[in-house]
Amino acid sequence: MVDHSAEVNGVVCSVPTAIAVTSSDLVLPPHDRQTPPAVVQPQETLEASLFGMHALIEQHGYVIVLHSASDESAATRRLHTVRSVLESDRIALLGVDLPPLGLALLAQQLRQLSVCDFSPGVLASSVRLLAHYIYAGALLGSVAKLDRVPVTLKSHAKSWVPGAQFAVLANPRPQLVRLHAADPEPLAGPEFGTRLLVAQGPQPPSDWVTATLATAWQVQGSLPVPLPEGSTRWWGTGKLVEFAAGLSDVSVLYQLVSSVRRETCHWCGLELIGDRCGFCAAPLREPEPTAGPVRAALPRGAT
């Protein structure tokens, strides 16, 4: 048997769980040589998807597929069909409420952690934890069709003004700021070191993200990446620069996940962190209430 174990920044690693995304433009370049590639599922036909998913299970044991929580496309429906036909409990289909570039960053972080000594259940259930530490947003030329973040009527009206620009944060807390206002409020950023991914849309280039925002957030570096195909639909406009900031050091990611208490899923038996299993979606069973101290009954008339 081939030994696939390795060591990444002092972290002992083993055979990786397969990480999949629903389109190739969500596969970011590997952060380092140890980061395994992501796979794309589903494929163009149901037959190809079944064959590909079965091969992934045979090779990796478990498969974690990330997709947009709001996506009800044929691709997402095919994923559920594949899992149903294969009758496999080794496929985790995880809908994530992140913009496309944030979802791509999350997939990259899972790819980094997949070679570490986490069980598939811990890796799958860490998705919600990792997503909380991703700051995903965009610089938009219009918010007229934006329905992912609360937009006031005033902002809608300002959106029609030529040259208007809005800085929008979708995760972890929604925020919308109109730039070039008299006293624009800062866009809330992370309080920890991050790397910034920047995807420029088909519009006149803007350096606000790489200059102003990157400086305000004190990022440890920025990387230009292609704009995911679904970004225009997600943000409601093609006039955008999408960005996502998150942890990039695998040792820090490892410490974050390993610091959370592990439990055992009462339904499928896999390890998990948090309150829900990533594979079977069963909630964490509440501990049985402990009986209170037994109080002796007083004799009648006693005080």
Side-chain angles (χ1 to χ4, degrees):
M1 182 176 180
V2 179
D3 181 9
H4 295 283
S5 62
E7 186 169 320
V8 181
N9 292 354
V11 177
V12 179
C13 304
S14 58
V15 177
T17 297
I19 307 300
V21 289
T22 53
S23 62
S24 59
D25 55 13
L26 296 178
V27 181
L28 295 174
H31 184 61
D32 49 44
R33 289 183 297 176
Q34 287 79 24
T35 303
V39 295
V40 177
Q41 276 288 347
Q43 299 181 20
E44 292 185 1
T45 66
L46 178 58
E47 182 180 6
S49 301
L50 288 168
F51 180 82
M53 189 69 79
H54 178 73
L56 287 174
I57 295 173
E58 288 293 306
Q59 181 180 358
H60 296 272
Y62 290 84
V63 183
I64 299 172
V65 187
L66 299 182
H67 64 88
S68 173
S70 58
D71 186 7
E72 297 180 358
S73 65
T76 305
R77 293 193 296 270
R78 186 176 299 158
L79 282 172
H80 287 274
T81 301
V82 166
R83 185 172 63 176
S84 178
V85 171
L86 292 178
E87 297 183 339
S88 176
D89 57 0
R90 298 189 173 209
I91 304 171
L93 304 182
L94 303 177
V96 184
D97 193 16
L98 282 173
L101 190 58
L103 183 61
L105 175 56
L106 177 60
Q108 186 184 60
Q109 291 177 337
L110 279 186
R111 289 159 56 194
Q112 290 177 266
L113 290 173
S114 69
V115 295
C116 301
D117 59 352
F118 292 124
S119 66
V122 168
L123 194 62
S125 56
S126 72
V127 165
R128 293 169 63 191
L129 172 67
L130 296 173
H132 180 73
Y133 290 92
I134 290 179
Y135 284 70
L139 175 67
L140 304 179
S142 172
V143 294
K145 297 182 179 179
L146 178 64
D147 59 4
R148 311 285 185 167
V149 175
V151 181
T152 65
L153 288 175
K154 184 177 180 180
S155 295
H156 269 297
K158 296 285 187 182
S159 185
W160 297 102
V161 177
Q165 285 189 317
F166 300 85
V168 183
L169 192 66
N171 192 79
R173 293 171 297 277
Q175 185 184 4
L176 188 151
V177 176
R178 189 173 75 88
L179 301 184
H180 312 303
D183 188 21
E185 62 178 305
L187 203 62
E191 298 179 353
F192 48 88
T194 61
R195 186 178 66 149
L196 185 68
L197 301 177
V198 184
Q200 177 79 46
Q203 66 170 37
S206 171
D207 64 353
W208 181 85
V209 173
T210 55
T212 305
L213 183 69
T215 301
W217 284 7
Q218 299 182 335
V219 301
Q220 298 171 337
S222 61
L223 177 69
V225 295
L227 185 73
E229 183 179 350
S231 296
T232 297
R233 182 175 63 257
W234 204 96
W235 292 104
T237 179
K239 299 179 179 180
L240 81 158
V241 180
E242 191 172 9
F243 55 85
L247 298 167
S248 59
D249 189 327
V250 66
S251 62
V252 177
L253 291 168
Y254 182 90
Q255 291 173 12
L256 176 64
V257 176
S258 61
S259 66
V260 182
R261 178 180 174 180
R262 303 185 192 186
E263 306 283 354
T264 300
C265 177
H266 67 90
W267 183 259
C268 68
L270 291 177
E271 279 189 311
L272 62 89
I273 61 174
D275 60 1
R276 186 170 298 275
C277 178
F279 278 87
C280 71
L284 181 65
R285 176 179 286 172
E286 294 292 334
E288 295 291 336
T290 56
V294 177
R295 299 181 63 182
L298 293 175
R300 181 173 297 180
T303 59

